[in-house]
């Protein structure tokens, strides 16, 4: 749960990609791959997402680190290809965490979560996830409040916002054990529309409402056992 508050801070610092990248590297290192080819394909996907110039989630690492990763991938050294990148992004996260400790959000985390522990109750987890949902809703309204959002925001901004929504959803599902939907049916109309159609229509299509914070549905199964 505390990790949600740190992610909220990073989102406002425009550096959430650092945490997403670090988490992906942790998962990459711990996963058992069926073949070297599968491992290399996954490594290339991570590289394309976070280390390619002008990607939506480009991490601010120096060229030396990028070259080291590229050379390792060319040599098919998938096992250790991200070692230097992981150290570099961890350093960035440490700097962000130092700033995080001096924010009101950090105090909110302390008040809601108390002492650090391996498990948090449903109330603490709900409050943590709702913090992220509040951020997403705020950004959603900024982008889609006007009838024609593309006239105000570049398409890249809209695309990044939608990708962040997806990554936050996966973050909450797999690491916090909380499952939710961003949209909830609007029972005041007879129209029915899927979440994907709602996204396609910039989140303002009839028949849906953006889900307000306070209504996460807690998931069951293996994901619910991973609480942070």
């Amino acid at each position: 749960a505390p990790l949600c508050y740190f992610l909220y801070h990073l989102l406002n610092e425009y550096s959430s990609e650092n945490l997403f990248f670090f988490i992906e590297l942790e998962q990459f290192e711990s996963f058992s791959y069926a073949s070297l080819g599968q491992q290399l394909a996954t490594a290339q996907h991570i590289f394309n997402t976070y280390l390619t110039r002008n990607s939506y989630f480009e991490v601010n690492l120096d060229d030396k680190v990028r070259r080291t990763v590229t050379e390792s991938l060319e040599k098919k050294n998938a096992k250790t290809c991200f070692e230097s990148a992981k150290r570099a992004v961890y350093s960035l996260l440490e700097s962000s965490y130092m700033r995080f400790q001096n924010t009101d959000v950090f105090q909110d985390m302390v008040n809601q979560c108390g002492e650090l522990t391996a498990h948090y109750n449903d109330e603490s987890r709900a409050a943590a996830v709702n913090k992220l949902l509040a951020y997403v809703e705020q950004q959603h309204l900024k982008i889609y409040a006007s009838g024609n959002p593309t006239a105000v925001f570049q398409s890249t901004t809209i695309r990044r916002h939608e990708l962040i929504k997806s990554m936050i959803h996966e973050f909450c599902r797999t690491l916090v054990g909380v499952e939710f939907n961003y949209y909830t049916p609007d029972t005041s109309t007879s129209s029915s529309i899927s979440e994907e159609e709602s996204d396609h229509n910039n989140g303002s299509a009839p028949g849906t409402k953006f889900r307000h914070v306070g209504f996460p549905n807690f998931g069951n199964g293996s994901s619910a056992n991973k609480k942070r």
Side-chain angles (χ1 to χ4, degrees), residues 58-153:
E58 181 185 355
V59 175
N60 186 24
L61 301 182
D62 62 44
D63 290 337
K64 182 179 179 180
V65 172
R66 294 173 193 270
R67 284 196 301 271
T68 299
V69 177
T70 300
E71 290 170 2
S72 293
L73 289 175
E74 289 174 349
K75 295 176 182 178
K76 298 185 178 182
N77 187 12
K79 186 176 181 180
T80 59
C81 64
F82 290 114
E83 284 185 347
S84 60
K86 188 177 181 181
R87 287 193 299 270
V89 78
Y90 186 81
S91 179
L92 294 177
L93 288 170
E94 281 187 317
S95 297
S96 292
Y97 190 79
M98 291 179 66
R99 293 189 294 273
F100 172 54
Q101 289 178 303
N102 296 317
T103 65
D104 292 338
V105 178
F106 182 84
Q107 192 57 51
D108 288 344
M109 179 192 73
V110 173
N111 294 338
Q112 288 289 344
C113 299
E115 296 182 3
L116 293 179
T117 178
H119 301 284
Y120 295 89
N121 60 34
D122 285 356
E123 182 180 356
S124 295
R125 291 162 60 215
V129 171
N130 285 335
K131 195 75 176 176
L132 293 175
L133 289 178
Y135 171 86
V136 172
E137 183 172 19
Q138 180 186 49
Q139 297 303 309
H140 181 91
L141 292 174
K142 283 182 180 179
I143 293 175
Y144 296 127
S146 64
N148 184 16
T150 56
V152 182
F153 292 89

Side-chain angles (χ1 to χ4, degrees), residues 149-168:
T150 56
V152 182
F153 292 89
Q154 295 181 351
S155 60
T156 53
T157 301
I158 296 172
R159 178 59 178 161
R160 177 179 165 84
H161 169 68
E162 295 300 331
L163 288 171
I164 284 177
K165 282 170 57 181
S166 176
M167 296 181 84
I168 288 175

